[in-house]
Amino acid sequence: MDIKTATALRRLRLVSAPEAVSFLLLLVCSVLKRTTDFNAVPVMGAVHGVLFILYVIFWADAWNRAKWSKKTAALYFVLSVLPTGGFFAERKLKREAEDAVIASRARQEGTVNA
């Protein structure tokens, strides 16, 4: 994996958890808006919107650089629209990065011919 691909995956991973948290907070704010006088939906909506747009931009970049299959790309996109999906995406991306590092080290040591 080259440095640009690793960077694209890292960016996606770093934005996925905050995007998931903002989605959950937006849901909580929506409930509070309807049950109390507290209305933070405009603020949380804007925060979540910016994080979601960043996620989609970073997702597209990672898809392009990592040469994911359509199935993998669709999985990461679907995870972005589920309330807790960003946490699962972050965990899966972390494992993918660790596996790439292990494979790279194995190739450098001549253990694997890949």
Side-chain angles (χ1 to χ4, degrees):
M1 179 181 305
D2 67 338
I3 191 72
K4 290 183 179 182
T5 303
T7 302
L9 293 174
R10 182 166 160 56
R11 276 193 309 249
L12 181 60
R13 189 178 133 227
L14 290 176
V15 79
S16 63
E19 191 271 337
V21 169
S22 72
F23 194 178
L24 293 174
L25 288 174
L26 180 59
L27 293 174
V28 169
C29 289
S30 295
V31 170
L32 289 175
K33 176 183 176 184
R34 284 157 180 74
T35 59
T36 67
D37 291 334
F38 184 74
N39 185 11
V41 171
V43 174
M44 269 323 300
V47 169
H48 174 66
V50 167
L51 288 171
F52 181 75
I53 289 169
L54 284 174
Y55 184 95
V56 171
I57 290 169
F58 294 158
W59 166 80
D61 186 38
W63 182 10
N64 183 40
R65 292 187 188 278
K67 306 297 184 220
W68 287 334
S69 66
K70 289 181 182 180
K71 181 180 174 183
T72 301
L75 171 68
Y76 283 119
F77 187 79
V78 168
L79 287 174
S80 75
V81 296
L82 297 174
T84 57
F87 299 120
F88 295 106
E90 192 274 334
R91 186 183 306 163
K92 190 166 174 49
L93 287 163
K94 183 177 180 181
R95 274 192 228 130
E96 189 175 322
E98 289 170 352
D99 290 347
V101 168
I102 291 168
S104 175
R105 287 182 183 161
R107 278 192 299 274
Q108 286 176 352
E109 294 174 3
T111 308
V112 176
N113 295 328

